[in-house]
Each structure stands twice: as C-alpha cells, then as structure tokens.
Amino acid sequence: MTTVVLRDLTRRFGNVTAVDRLNLEIASGELVAFLGPSGCGKTTTLRMITGLLLPISGDVLFDGKSMITVPTEKRGAVMVFQKHLLFPTMNVGQNVGFGLRMQGVEKKEMNRRVSEILELVKLPGFENRRAHELSGGQQQRVALARALVVRPKVLLLDEPLANLDANLRLEMRELIRSIQREMGISSVFVTHDQEEAVMLADRIALMFDGVLQQYDVPQAFYQKPLSTRVAHFFRNDNALAGTRRGDVVETALGTLRVDAARVQQPDGQVLVTVRPEDVRLNPEAGSPNCIQAKVLLVVYMGTHTQLQLDVGGHTWLVHSDADFQARVGETIPIELPASRLWLLPAN
Ligand code: ATP
C-alpha cells in the first residue's frame, strides 16, 4: 500500500508548459483518474510518476520518499499503455513472466504467479498462446497481467481502454476496478472520457492546459464544480447572473433562495447554476424559486425529453420526463430547487 504525493510538479517542453505546479495526493489503494482534453498534460504527469520523464521542478513522493533520483525500474510503478506492446516472439506465459524473470524469480514460483495472475484477468490456461492468436481485448488483459504480476506499488494506466470497442471497454472497466480493489494497488489512469472517469475513479483530477482545475470525488464535478469551465466539461452550461446576499441571489428574473450552508461563493456577483436534471418543469403554483423560461427546442430522447430553454437570455438545457409535452415558443414556469442550486464565480 503506497501513498503518492505530487508536489509543485512542473514540466516544460520549449515554450509549452505541459504541467504547471501540480499538487495532489493519491491515498493508499485509491484509483485516481487524470481527466482532461487532449494536450492538457495527463500523460506527461504519468510519465513523471514512473520516472520515464523528469520534472524541471517539484517532486514525486512514494510513502513520503522522494523518487526524483530513483530510476524507473526501482520505483515500483508500472505503466500499461494504450497499445498493448506484447513481445511477438514470446507466448503469453513468457510475456507475463518477463518482469519476474528479470527479477530473478525461480521458474516454479514464476509459473505459479503467472497462472495466478492469468486467472485474475480471466485468461486461465492461456500461457502457451502467441500474441497474434489473441483478440485486442485479450492482448490488453495480458498487458495488464504483465504489469500486475510484479506486484507494483503503483499502477499507471495510459488510456488502457482507448483501442477497445464499446462492449469490451465496459468489460475491461469492470475488470480493472475489481482487480484494483482486490489487490489494493494505488492506481492512476488517464482518460479524456468523462463518463469513464466517473464510473471508475475514487477521485478525479481534472486538468486544463497543464493546470489542475479540481481534484475531488466524481459527484463533486456534477454538484459542486469550481468554475464554469469545469461545469461545461461535465455538460452543464446553465447559468444566470446575479448578486448574492446571504441566502438569496437577486437576478434579472427574480430573487432566488440558495442553501447558504451548501454554496461557497462569497456575497457579491455570482452565476447561479443548476444541472439539467435538477430543474423542475411546471411546478405547483406558489412553489419557491420559480422563474419563467421560453421553450426553444423539445427533443424526445427515449429515456427522457431534452428541452432547450431561454432563461434570461441564456440558453439552458433541461431534462424532463420522457412524456413531458411543451410547444416551441411558449413560456413555462420552471423551479430551481434551492437545495440543488450552486454558485460559480461571476468571471
Ligand atoms: P492526450 O490526451 O492527447 O494524450 P495529454 O493530456 O496526455 O494529451 P500530454 O501528452 O501530456 O497531454 O501533452 C501536454 C503538452 O505537452 C502538449 O501540448 C504536448 O504537445 C506537449 N508535449 C508532450 N510531450 C512532448 C515532447 N516530448 N516534446 C514536446 N512537447 C511535448
């Protein structure tokens, strides 16, 4: 069990700051997702954790010990790449056992551990198969087994599911999660898929342009995003400008009550936001926090109906029951429940 701490970790390539003063802690046995758009610095961070790349400043600590001068092979961190690079001339058993052979583990023990780990990745008895006799999903599981067999302190997965089709992705997600839990290995995986991060991770580190934006449990990115950019990445652009005074926000559409114990922005200019699934349509007369919205578009989505509304000049997305009926152009009341409102900084 290993804790990983990244302290002011920074890496530049020429003029590009790929990772900028990154600080975060991965608890022992935790599964953390590095999430963000292409080029935001996820892989660079992963490579600095393994030692494949050195930071220009900052530190990587495993259990409080600096790893900066420790070479990759001595760190006890293994990486699984997007493309499963198996040795083509070796069979599965030899591929998986490679790391153990390098460590000088004797043959009988090596075979026992290889079989054990192949069971774990659901490829029992595959020792004698060649890499080209495996499907893409099976090759990726062999790559995972090869990383796990050496019992690493830290497991790093660089978009390990990117090359798999939808069904295999789902299967691999579940497999990674259950093995990671069972073995209790502190793990990081890189993804630009928000859904994947939410389904797999204990905590998500969301990065933009080399800068950590928010590091929290998945629910926080929906309920308590720290900026409009974070909210947007999690598909919420619903916002209304206002001025907070205690437990109310004055907006152009009326006064909205907020839960002062929940929201975190100080009094002053704010943006009120609420997730598409939390807006109530056609509330009962007299309900609090009701405003008027004009229907711009109604799209039946099978499991729900999605509406585009004009709310004080901003276009909002709102989800309703699948059988909700509304006409384009009509004005409808909507309720913004105080318990679901969140405040973002105005700028
Ligand atoms: P992706 O999801 O596309 O893999 P990423 O978030 O993993 O992206 P990185 O690969 O870490 O992003 O790259 C971060 C930035 O650093 C990018 O602007 C990239 O072009 C740059 N970069 C990364 N590696 C190098 C390198 N070896 N030389 C020069 N620039 C690099």
Side-chain angles (χ1 to χ4, degrees):
M1 301 289 260
T2 305
T3 57
V4 178
V5 172
L6 309 182
R7 191 176 287 161
D8 283 329
L9 204 61
T10 301
R11 174 71 204 204
R12 281 192 208 105
F13 297 104
N15 294 333
V16 176
T17 304
V19 177
D20 195 4
R21 286 163 294 164
L22 177 61
N23 286 287
L24 65 82
E25 182 171 337
I26 298 158
S28 189
E30 196 173 28
L31 180 56
V32 167
F34 285 173
L35 175 68
S38 184
C40 74
K42 306 179 294 288
T43 301
T44 302
T45 307
L46 219 56
R47 293 178 71 211
M48 288 193 282
I49 298 174
T50 55
L52 290 171
L53 193 68
L54 284 177
I56 58 155
S57 59
D59 207 348
V60 174
L61 301 109
F62 288 180
D63 285 333
K65 187 170 174 282
S66 173
M67 289 291 121
I68 293 299
T69 57
V70 179
T72 300
E73 62 280 7
K74 299 240 166 78
R75 289 193 185 189
V78 294
M79 195 143 158
V80 177
F81 295 93
Q82 191 176 117
K83 285 201 198 91
H84 25 72
L85 302 165
L86 301 182
F87 302 116
T89 56
M90 294 183 189
N91 64 26
V92 168
Q94 289 162 334
N95 261 288
V96 175
F98 185 77
L100 297 177
R101 218 172 73 211
M102 292 294 106
Q103 288 177 356
V105 174
E106 60 107 6
K107 195 149 186 251
K108 206 164 150 217
E109 170 66 1
M110 182 172 88
N111 289 342
R112 190 191 65 73
R113 279 171 65 180
V114 167
S115 300
E116 185 184 82
I117 213 78
L118 284 174
E119 289 265 348
L120 202 63
V121 299
K122 302 208 164 67
L123 291 174
F126 271 61
E127 282 89 337
N128 294 321
R129 289 268 196 111
R130 301 259 156 200
H132 71 266
E133 292 170 339
L134 302 172
S135 69
Q138 289 169 335
Q139 288 187 40
Q140 195 58 307
R141 278 188 275 162
V142 172
L144 184 63
R146 190 172 59 181
L148 292 170
V149 80
V150 295
R151 297 178 186 150
K153 286 183 180 167
V154 182
L155 176 66
L156 304 160
L157 303 144
D158 191 1
E159 303 228 27
L161 314 178
N163 286 333
L164 306 177
D165 68 38
N167 283 339
L168 271 178
R169 280 175 88 100
L170 212 61
E171 218 175 86
M172 266 303 270
R173 262 184 212 163
E174 280 161 19
L175 188 72
I176 289 173
R177 184 76 246 201
S178 70
I179 291 176
Q180 191 270 341
R181 284 241 167 92
E182 195 170 321
M183 295 182 79
I185 304 175
S186 311
S187 307
V188 178
F189 77 99
V190 159
T191 180
H192 51 255
D193 181 341
Q194 163 235 322
E195 205 172 80
E196 193 157 286
V198 168
M199 285 178 74
L200 261 174
D202 294 312
R203 279 195 287 178
I204 297 172
L206 178 61
M207 296 172 74
F208 294 142
D209 309 323
V211 178
L212 182 66
Q213 308 289 317
Q214 189 163 348
Y215 184 41
D216 213 328
V217 295
Q219 294 86 332
F221 291 84
Y222 292 88
Q223 300 305 329
K224 300 183 169 189
L226 294 182
S227 67
T228 45
R229 218 172 156 197
V230 171
H232 173 75
F233 197 83
F234 278 76
R235 304 199 186 109
N236 178 13
D237 291 312
N238 296 346
L240 185 62
T243 306
R244 178 183 176 192
R245 280 189 202 92
D247 58 4
V248 295
V249 177
E250 304 292 349
T251 76
L253 301 183
T255 302
L256 296 173
R257 194 155 285 279
V258 293
D259 178 352
R262 178 173 192 267
V263 297
Q264 287 168 7
Q265 285 302 309
D267 281 2
Q269 298 297 305
V270 293
L271 289 173
V272 180
T273 184
V274 57
R275 285 206 58 87
E277 54 276 18
D278 289 336
V279 175
R280 291 202 190 120
L281 294 158
N282 284 345
E284 284 165 27
S287 297
N289 277 13
C290 281
I291 57 174
Q292 298 294 316
K294 189 171 160 193
V295 178
L296 300 176
L297 194 66
V298 182
V299 184
Y300 175 66
M301 307 286 286
T303 53
H304 64 279
T305 291
Q306 184 172 289
L307 287 97
Q308 246 180 48
L309 303 175
D310 180 322
V311 178
H314 301 268
T315 302
W316 283 32
L317 268 193
V318 169
H319 296 170
S320 72
D321 294 342
D323 54 6
F324 183 79
Q325 305 281 333
R327 273 179 295 107
V328 170
E330 76 172 313
T331 297
I332 57 170
I334 60 172
E335 183 189 343
L336 313 181
S339 63
R340 313 306 286 176
L341 290 187
W342 179 245
L343 301 181
L344 293 165
N347 48 8

